[in-house]
């Protein structure tokens, strides 16, 4: 019997970020320390089927299907091909976007009493919503860009003139609960406005309009729980061919961006960014790790844009690159995240769910 911990890597999912999840999971599956851990690949097809895999790829048909077991004696996964019961020691949900970063998978794993890496239900749900992220950051005294928000039933009431007078031109229109720049449009004129409404509402019931920020796009990685630690920030320099950091620029065009890891900013600004990133991480109830996205305006103001509770682990992802610059390899980073999550899970056992009056 192996004395190594079994780590289930769950990837794919019913999300517009399905392929990005596959790319991230491939790297985690490849670089996880096989001397310490036995990885188990569990894929979720775009239709929502859970399957057992021997590698990370986009093939889901013909694979052993899994059933979720929630009995008091057996909480885990059952291979429907051979009835084998699978209960990993810990799960690494590498599910970007819908049903992955919004608290859904976290709630399911909590019900199954299986430890997992990353932010729990509350922090995931908050951080997935760009709207509630902004509201809670504002309440914590953390600077964010100006914004307006509407729900789909209000669509006919949304007036370009009101948004323009409040936020100025250009402004950004976003689906409130997505990532990877899906459902995002830069509005430069009234002619763009209807397209922006249709694009955002195609993916979500809430639209967010944000002031367009002129400045630099930075990211900062945070890791830990009792005393979270921030990396040095990195910068994304976008090609003049793109008006903002689009999905295509992020994932499809290898020449779209330059990544400066670390960012070329002065020591005082670095310290401010790191402190503000940790403050935002705590304000949104994040656990284990996250990536904080922010703006450094031309006037030197730092604005928090959003937090990604399951940041990418692709070859072009900033989260692992920022820690690599701090001397933590991809393999060591995965091990560190597993240990952080297990320590948090162990500490949570202090709390009882029984009451005797």
């Amino acid at each position: 019997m192996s004395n190594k911990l079994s780590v289930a890597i769950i990837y794919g999912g019913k999300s517009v970020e399905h392929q990005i999840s596959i790319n991230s999971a491939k790297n985690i599956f490849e670089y996880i320390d096989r001397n310490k851990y036995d990885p188990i690949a569990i894929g979720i097809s775009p239709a929502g089927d859970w399957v057992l895999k021997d590698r990370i790829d986009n093939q889901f048909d013909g694979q052993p299907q899994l059933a979720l077991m929630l009995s008091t004696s057996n909480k885990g996964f059952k291979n429907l091909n051979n009835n084998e019961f699978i209960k990993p020691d810990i799960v690494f949900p590498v599910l970007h976007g819908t049903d992955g970063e919004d608290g859904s998978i976290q709630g399911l794993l909590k019900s199954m009493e299986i430890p997992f890496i990353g932010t729990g239900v509350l922090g995931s749900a908050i951080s997935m919503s760009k709207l509630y992220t902004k509201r809670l950051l504002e309440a914590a005294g953390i600077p964010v860009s100006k914004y307006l928000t509407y729900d789909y039933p209000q669509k006919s009431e949304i007036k370009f003139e009101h948004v323009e007078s409040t936020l100025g031109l250009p402004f950004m229109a976003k689906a409130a609960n997505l990532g990877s720049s899906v459902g995002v449009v830069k509005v430069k004129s009234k002619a763009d406005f209807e397209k922006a409404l249709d694009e955002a509402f195609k993916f979500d019931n809430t639209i967010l309009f944000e002031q367009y920020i002129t400045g630099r796009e930075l990211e900062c990685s945070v890791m830990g729980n009792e005393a979270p630690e921030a990396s040095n920030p990195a910068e994304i320099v976008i090609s003049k061919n793109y008006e903002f950091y689009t999905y295509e620029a992020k994932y499809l065009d290898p020449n779209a961006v330059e990544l400066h890891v670390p960012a070329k900013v002065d020591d005082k600004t670095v310290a401010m960014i790191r402190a503000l990133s940790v403050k935002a991480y705590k304000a949104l109830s994040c656990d284990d790790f996250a990536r904080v996205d922010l703006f450094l305006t031309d006037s030197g103001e730092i604005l928090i844009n959003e937090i990604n509770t399951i940041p990418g682990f692709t070859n072009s992802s900033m989260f692992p690159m920022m820690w690599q610059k701090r001397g933590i390899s991809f393999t060591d980073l995965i091990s560190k995240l597993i240990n952080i999550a297990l320590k948090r899970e162990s500490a949570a056992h202090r709390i009882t769910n029984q009451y005797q009056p």
Side-chain angles (χ1 to χ4, degrees):
M1 183 175 177
S2 173
N3 59 358
K4 294 187 284 187
L5 288 178
S6 58
V7 181
I9 301 167
I10 302 183
Y11 73 95
K14 295 162 55 175
S15 165
V16 295
E17 298 179 76
H18 178 92
Q19 185 59 47
I20 312 308
S21 168
I22 293 174
N23 295 343
S24 289
K26 279 181 179 178
N27 276 347
I28 294 171
F29 191 78
E30 177 181 350
Y31 287 106
I32 193 169
D33 189 342
R34 306 279 174 138
N35 294 317
K36 298 178 181 177
Y37 309 110
D38 282 324
I40 303 168
I42 296 177
I44 304 176
S45 76
D49 294 317
W50 292 53
V51 298
L52 186 63
K53 300 278 297 176
D54 59 6
R55 65 175 65 87
I56 306 289
D57 58 27
N58 61 0
Q59 300 301 312
F60 300 94
D61 293 338
Q63 305 299 311
Q65 294 223 348
L66 295 175
L68 308 182
M69 306 292 290
L70 290 172
S71 68
T72 54
S73 58
N74 286 322
K75 291 185 178 180
F77 306 94
K78 184 178 182 180
N79 184 335
L80 296 182
N81 278 27
N82 58 15
N83 290 325
E84 177 190 7
F85 179 71
I86 302 166
K87 184 168 186 179
D89 293 307
I90 192 166
V91 167
F92 199 152
V94 192
L95 295 162
H96 304 313
T98 308
D99 291 341
E101 283 183 270
D102 58 8
S104 299
I105 190 71
Q106 291 79 10
L108 177 64
L109 293 169
K110 186 175 180 182
S111 297
M112 297 170 73
E113 298 180 347
I114 300 177
F116 59 88
I117 300 164
T119 295
V121 175
L122 176 62
S124 295
I126 293 168
S127 300
M128 184 68 184
S129 169
K130 294 179 174 66
L131 171 59
Y132 285 95
T133 289
K134 284 184 178 292
R135 287 176 173 172
L136 283 177
L137 292 177
E138 282 182 307
I142 297 170
V144 299
S145 60
K146 290 173 63 176
Y147 66 95
L148 291 170
T149 184
Y150 297 90
D151 293 325
Y152 183 72
Q154 300 173 287
K155 184 178 180 184
S156 62
E157 305 167 19
I158 306 173
K159 304 301 181 187
F160 169 79
E161 291 76 15
H162 175 62
V163 180
E164 179 191 17
S165 65
T166 305
L167 303 179
L169 275 180
F171 57 82
M172 303 301 294
K174 301 179 177 181
N177 293 281
L178 280 182
S180 293
S181 298
V182 176
V184 178
V185 175
K186 182 178 179 181
V187 178
K188 296 180 289 183
S189 67
K190 191 170 183 178
D192 301 326
F193 193 61
E194 289 301 321
K195 174 191 172 184
L197 291 179
D198 291 341
E199 183 70 7
F201 279 132
K202 180 167 71 174
F203 296 105
D204 196 17
N205 282 321
T206 301
I207 191 171
L208 193 67
F209 298 107
E210 292 179 332
Q211 172 191 13
Y212 181 77
I213 303 299
T214 302
R216 300 165 68 181
E217 291 200 35
L218 303 178
E219 296 183 349
C220 187
S221 296
V222 181
M223 187 162 47
N225 292 310
E226 295 89 353
E229 179 186 3
S231 70
N232 287 331
E235 181 174 7
I236 301 160
V237 181
I238 304 168
S239 161
K240 302 294 185 184
N241 295 329
Y242 295 89
E243 295 195 83
F244 65 96
Y245 201 19
T246 65
Y247 182 97
E248 290 75 13
K250 287 180 178 178
Y251 303 117
L252 302 181
D253 183 351
N255 302 311
V257 298
E258 282 184 27
L259 303 179
H260 295 171
V261 188
K264 299 172 184 176
V265 292
D266 62 80
D267 291 345
K268 182 181 178 181
T269 303
V270 167
M272 291 170 59
I273 288 170
R274 293 180 68 192
L276 203 56
S277 295
V278 169
K279 186 176 181 181
Y281 181 89
K282 290 180 175 179
L284 298 188
S285 193
C286 294
D287 300 311
D288 299 349
F289 74 110
R291 192 193 72 233
V292 181
D293 297 349
L294 48 98
F295 296 110
L296 179 61
T297 71
D298 292 344
S299 62
E301 186 180 12
I302 301 167
L303 302 173
I304 300 294
N305 185 31
E306 61 182 71
I307 288 187
N308 290 269
T309 54
I310 305 181
F313 283 82
T314 70
N315 292 332
S316 61
S317 293
M318 296 283 252
F319 182 87
M321 279 195 274
M322 282 186 268
W323 288 114
Q324 192 169 33
K325 287 295 182 180
R326 297 292 295 272
I328 302 174
S329 69
F330 211 120
T331 295
D332 289 341
L333 179 61
I334 296 166
S335 297
K336 192 172 181 67
L337 292 175
I338 293 170
N339 290 330
I340 288 171
L342 289 172
K343 183 179 178 182
R344 171 180 51 78
E345 175 69 18
S346 178
H349 290 163
R350 177 190 66 79
I351 300 170
T352 182
N353 60 2
Q354 302 297 318
Y355 173 66
Q356 292 293 334

